Every structure is written in structure tokens, then in C-alpha cells.
């Protein structure tokens, strides 16, 4: 039996409310393939019967969480798309060190980190490109506690390691652990994993120098993309950098970011705030206007935000 329209609508509405992921008509096959293992765990022959049982049980929180986690896309690989990591090593990190000094400590947020390949790739990149006096810390977040458990362990199969891991990085930063590979302890110590929903306020740990928000905006509608990008902007240091997926951009979404091409990809920086004209001194205003000016509070003028970033 296929997934009924009522069951698909229930799943799609619940997933959208909890994660903002849109499951449009035509994605029934995806729901069935992702939820079939959950149905079989309960001895049910098909997904429709599973969804009917969940609904009949009043939608228990544990069941709803498992459904959302099963439908969250966790596709990932080491150094995925390459260009963001090249930009981090060649342009972003050197610019921050030049601005703040060789002993600076970089803070990076890896959002929607899945099973950890992205934040560990960032850690390897920074470990190799920063001067010995500099240090870094990475906050890696994801909606799914299930994938975070795997990420914290830092253990990967040979098949997973083969997906994008350069041989020099493998030698320097991973160690054999039986049939698997394990991220070196000193590197794992620089990465903290935390459950976080991008629909919520940004996690503690900021402000951040760099935010990786890659291959996740494509699953959201325009209003959600705008809200997430504005929240990211609030926790990014002046002059900080945002890296998106290859199919993602701020252009046409929000207008307070500037795109800087770097190599085959792009880095986004907050637009410098335009300075406001200062009001004339009160002693140059006619007496009647001066009296009115003194009685009206003047608006707060925010400081300009420095935007940096060399072409990549």
C-alpha cells in the first residue's frame, strides 16, 4: 500500500513546523524510503500504517522527533566542494590573523554539520594554515541528535574516509582504529557538538569569525532563508565571513551581504553600515529650532562595520 495523501500531508506539515524543511507534492517516495526502517522496527509492512499508528497515538514526541530526523538530509563528505576550504586557508583565515594578530583565536560555527565531516575538515584546514601562535575553536550544530552522536565519536569507515579525504590529510589527522579511522584526539578537542535548530536563536558561543552554512538553505522557503541569514549576521564579528553551498547565495534573498569571489567559489561579508550625517551643532541652529532640537532625543548611530575579504 502506498502512502495516502492524508499521511503525507501529516508528515509534511509536521516536518515543516519543526524544521522548516519543505516536502512538496512529489516527495512521497522520499518519505516512504526514509520512514520504512521505522515502520519495520514496529513490525509494520508499510509507511502508511506507521504514520496512521503515530497519529492514533496522539503524535508522541519521541515518534515525531524520529520522523523529523529521518527526513533531514544528512548527505556529507570530507572537504565537500573543496572551494570553501581553499578560501578559508588562502583568504579568510589569513585576513583575520592579519587584522587581529598572530596570537588570535578564531571562532567558527559549522551549522547543519551532519556526521561531522565538515567541522573536522575545517579543523584540519585551520590546523594546517594558521601560524603556530594562533588557535581556533569550532562549534558544530545539527538538528539531529542521532548524527551528532556519530560526529562526537569521530570514527569513520573506510568507505566514508574514501569520500573526499585527501591522502596527506588522512596521514596527518586520522589514526587507524581497527577497521575504522578516528580523528586525532587533539583535533577532536577543538570541536564542540551541540543540538540546534536553525529556526531558533543562534547557539551560544559567538560572536563567530566564520560561519559555514552550506547546502541547507536550499531546503527552506524565502522567508525562512531571510530569517536565518539575519540571525547569522547578528552573531558574526565585524569583518567576519559566511560560506554557503555552491548552489546557494544571499543575492535576491537579503541585501545586507556582499559577495566576494574567491577562486571557484564565493565568500559573503556583511555590508558596511552607511554612516548617517551628523546633525549640525546646536549653536548653529536658530534659537527656536535649537530649543526643539534639545527636546527631541537623537537616534542612536551604529558604528560602521568593517568589511574585508580579498578576491578568491
Amino acid at each position: 500500500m502506498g502512502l495516502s495523501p492524508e499521511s503525507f500531508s501529516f508528515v509534511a506539515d509536521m516536518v515543516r513546523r519543526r524544521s522548516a524543511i519543505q516536502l512538496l507534492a512529489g516527495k512521497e517516495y522520499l518519505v516512504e524510503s526514509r520512514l520504512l526502517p521505522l515502520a519495520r522496527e514496529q513490525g509494520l509492512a508499510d509507511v502508511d500504517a506507521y504514520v496512521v499508528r503515530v497519529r492514533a497515538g496522539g503524535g508522541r514526541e519521541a515518534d515525531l522527533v524520529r520522523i523529523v530526523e529521518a527526513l533531514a538530509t544528512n548527505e556529507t563528505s570530507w572537504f565537500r566542494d573543496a572551494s570553501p576550504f581553499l578560501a578559508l586557508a588562502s583568504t579568510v583565515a589569513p585576513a583575520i590573523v592579519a587584522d587581529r594578530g598572530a596570537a588570535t583565536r578564531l571562532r567558527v560555527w559549522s551549522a547543519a554539520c551532519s556526521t561531522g565531516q565538515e567541522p573536522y575538515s575545517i579543523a584540519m584546514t585551520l590546523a594546517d594554515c594558521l601560524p603556530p601562535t594562533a588557535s581556533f575553536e569550532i562549534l558544530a550544530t545539527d538538528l539531529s541528535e542521532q548524527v551528532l552522536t556519530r560526529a562526537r565519536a569521530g570514527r569513520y569507515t573506510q568507505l566514508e574516509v574514501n569520500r573526499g579525504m585527501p591522502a596527506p590529510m588522512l596521514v596527518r589527522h586520522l589514526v587507524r582504529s581497527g577497521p575504522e579511522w578516528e580523528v586525532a584526539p587533539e583535533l577532536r578537542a577543538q570541536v564542540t557538538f551541540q543540538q540546534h535548530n536553525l529556526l531558533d536563536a543562534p547557539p551560544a558561543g559567538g560572536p563567530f569569525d566564520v560561519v559555514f552554512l552550506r547546502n541547507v538553505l536550499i531546503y527552506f522557503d524565502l522567508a525562512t532563508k531571510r530569517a536565518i541569514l539575519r540571525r547569522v549576521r547578528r552573531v558574526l564579528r565585524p569583518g567576519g565571513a559566511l560560506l554557503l553551498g555552491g548552489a546557494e547565495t544571499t543575492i535576491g534573498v537579503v541585501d545586507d551581504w556582499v559577495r566576494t569571489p574567491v577562486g571557484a567559489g564565493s565568500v559573503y561579508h556583511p555590508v558596511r553600515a552607511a554612516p548617517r550625517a551628523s546633525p549640525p551643532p546646536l549653536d548653529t541652529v536658530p534659537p527656536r529650532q535649537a530649543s526643539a532640537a534639545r527636546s527631541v532625543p537623537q537616534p542612536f548611530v551604529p558604528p560602521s562595520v568593517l568589511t574585508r575579504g580579498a578576491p578568491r
Side-chain angles (χ1 to χ4, degrees), residues 21 112 114:
I21 294 172
S114 189

Side-chain angles (χ1 to χ4, degrees), residues 1-299:
M1 177 180 177
L3 191 66
S4 70
E6 294 78 15
S7 292
F8 177 74
S9 178
F10 169 80
V11 171
D13 290 346
M14 185 270 292
V15 169
R16 178 182 51 78
R17 289 195 309 272
R18 287 174 170 251
S19 70
I21 294 172
Q22 295 192 93
L23 295 170
L24 303 178
K27 293 291 186 179
E28 289 84 355
Y29 72 93
L30 176 64
V31 172
E32 291 196 64
S33 64
R34 295 289 182 87
L35 298 190
L36 185 58
L38 302 184
R40 288 178 173 167
E41 281 181 15
Q42 297 196 15
L44 300 172
D46 58 61
V47 172
D48 196 71
Y50 170 68
V51 175
V52 168
R53 176 176 290 186
V54 169
R55 297 181 68 184
R60 292 186 314 151
E61 182 64 18
D63 291 326
L64 301 183
V65 167
R66 294 195 71 193
I67 290 173
V68 173
E69 290 195 351
L71 287 164
T73 300
N74 293 312
E75 170 66 21
T76 189
S77 60
W78 301 96
F79 300 92
R80 186 176 180 184
D81 303 330
S83 60
F85 304 96
L86 295 174
L88 178 64
S90 68
T91 302
V92 175
I96 294 170
V97 171
D99 182 51
R100 302 227 306 267
T104 190
R105 184 168 182 80
L106 277 73
R107 289 182 175 178
V108 181
W109 176 18
S110 170
C113 70
S114 189
T115 47
Q117 284 90 330
E118 178 178 274
Y120 288 133
S121 296
I122 296 169
M124 294 176 198
T125 301
L126 292 176
D128 287 353
C129 79
L130 289 176
T133 51
S135 59
F136 63 90
E137 56 186 303
I138 300 169
L139 175 65
T141 65
D142 198 274
L143 176 67
S144 170
E145 189 60 49
Q146 182 178 5
V147 300
L148 290 174
T149 298
R150 286 208 58 216
R152 291 186 186 101
R155 294 172 66 94
Y156 300 93
T157 66
Q158 184 66 57
L159 181 61
E160 289 171 322
V161 167
N162 288 345
R163 296 195 64 199
M165 174 65 72
M169 292 291 194
L170 176 66
V171 172
R172 283 198 296 273
H173 300 298
L174 273 74
V175 294
R176 263 292 187 186
S177 180
E180 298 181 317
W181 292 89
E182 188 172 287
V183 178
E186 60 271 19
L187 208 65
R188 286 210 316 274
Q190 308 306 314
V191 185
T192 300
F193 292 94
Q194 177 182 323
Q195 196 276 339
H196 176 257
N197 190 329
L198 287 169
L199 298 182
D200 298 334
F208 300 98
D209 299 291
V210 184
V211 174
F212 276 65
L213 181 68
R214 305 182 59 237
N215 305 303
V216 63
L217 291 180
I218 54 176
Y219 298 105
F220 302 141
D221 60 26
L222 183 59
T224 304
K225 290 178 184 178
R226 286 173 175 164
I228 291 172
L229 287 170
R230 286 166 182 159
R231 283 194 285 269
V232 169
R233 194 180 193 279
R234 289 199 295 269
V235 296
L236 197 64
R237 284 186 189 275
L242 168 67
L243 293 112
L244 301 175
E248 297 167 325
T249 182
T250 64
I251 298 170
V253 181
V254 288
D255 58 5
D256 51 0
W257 294 88
V258 60
R259 172 182 172 272
T260 303
V262 181
S266 303
V267 176
Y268 296 84
H269 301 279
V271 173
R272 189 202 319 244
R276 297 184 183 181
S278 300
L282 290 181
D283 57 6
T284 66
V285 181
R288 183 173 299 175
Q289 295 182 24
S291 175
R294 291 189 185 98
S295 66
V296 178
Q298 296 301 304

